[in-house]
Amino acid sequence: MEKFKNKYRIPSTRLQGYDYGSNGMYHVTICTKNRIHFLGQIVASVETDNYPSLQPTVIGNIAYQYWTKIPAHYPFVELDVFVIMPNHIHGILFFNKPGYDEWNTNKFGVQSKNLGAVIRGFKSTTKRFANENKIEFEWQERFHDHIIRDEQSLNNIMQYIIDNPLNWSNDGFNTP
């Protein structure tokens, strides 16, 4: 295993040699620490014709608000479909940087204007709100990502995200 500053560290799950700041679509999943249901609970709602949806906690509402504000902080990011679940978030982010023609491979160290920076900003502002308001809340250290490469993959992922509340009882992320 690689060492950093004489300490063991977990190897990156990012695609080696890929530019995570390049134009494209990314499916991300961000989990709460130990998959604790900090963000709310799934309930059937009269407003949604008994279609299951999230009944959010305070921090679930904040996560929703901060997610929708990502483009205000990162103007090159456009939001696509997303869902807040009791212990995770699924979303599609579209990076649109007109004239972007560089290729900067994923590397260890300080980075900005890429997927890691966007997710780090989202997670840190949500956590800061929780700390300032004395709300028990923690994110899992990492996040999952998938580079969306074609329309069929995009459509499958969009449907998966849309159906996530409906499939919550069988979801692998649904831990007690």
Side-chain angles (χ1 to χ4, degrees):
M1 184 173 288
E2 292 181 44
K3 287 187 176 184
F4 176 71
K5 294 186 179 179
N6 272 344
K7 295 181 181 178
Y8 288 101
R9 65 184 198 111
I10 300 169
S12 175
T13 59
R14 305 286 90 79
L15 178 62
Q16 297 302 309
Y18 193 79
D19 179 359
Y20 280 89
S22 65
N23 291 328
M25 298 190 89
Y26 303 93
H27 171 214
V28 296
T29 301
I30 308 168
C31 296
T32 60
K33 187 167 186 177
N34 299 323
R35 298 200 178 144
I36 296 171
H37 295 193
F38 288 121
L39 303 173
Q41 64 179 330
I42 298 296
V43 296
S45 170
V46 174
E47 290 114 31
T48 58
D49 295 325
N50 288 324
Y51 187 86
S53 62
L54 184 75
Q55 180 180 10
T57 60
V58 170
I59 203 69
N61 278 323
I62 291 302
Y64 179 90
Q65 288 174 26
Y66 288 178
W67 186 266
T68 61
K69 291 180 181 178
I70 288 174
H73 301 284
Y74 302 92
F76 58 89
V77 176
E78 298 173 25
L79 301 179
D80 204 303
V81 63
F82 71 95
V83 66
I84 310 265
M85 298 295 289
N87 60 5
H88 66 281
I89 297 171
H90 288 297
I92 297 174
L93 302 174
F94 174 50
F95 280 31
N96 183 11
K97 300 176 179 177
Y100 186 85
D101 58 359
E102 321 170 6
W103 190 262
N104 299 305
T105 59
N106 190 39
K107 60 186 176 225
F108 183 77
V110 178
Q111 300 176 42
S112 65
K113 297 183 181 176
N114 65 9
L115 184 61
V118 172
I119 301 304
R120 186 173 50 252
F122 167 74
K123 288 170 70 172
S124 66
T125 55
T126 308
K127 177 63 175 160
R128 185 178 313 116
F129 177 90
N131 289 346
E132 290 171 353
N133 292 279
K134 296 178 179 35
I135 299 171
E136 182 182 354
F137 174 73
E138 290 186 66
W139 289 114
Q140 178 176 296
E141 287 185 16
R142 294 177 160 208
F143 64 94
H144 306 278
D145 72 83
H146 173 78
I147 301 161
I148 301 172
R149 298 176 192 251
D150 59 43
E151 190 172 347
Q152 181 178 353
S153 178
L154 172 63
N155 290 336
N156 290 343
I157 292 166
M158 289 174 72
Q159 196 61 55
Y160 173 80
I161 292 171
I162 291 166
D163 291 342
N164 212 236
L166 184 63
N167 297 323
W168 178 240
S169 62
N170 298 319
D171 193 312
F173 287 109
N174 185 3
T175 57

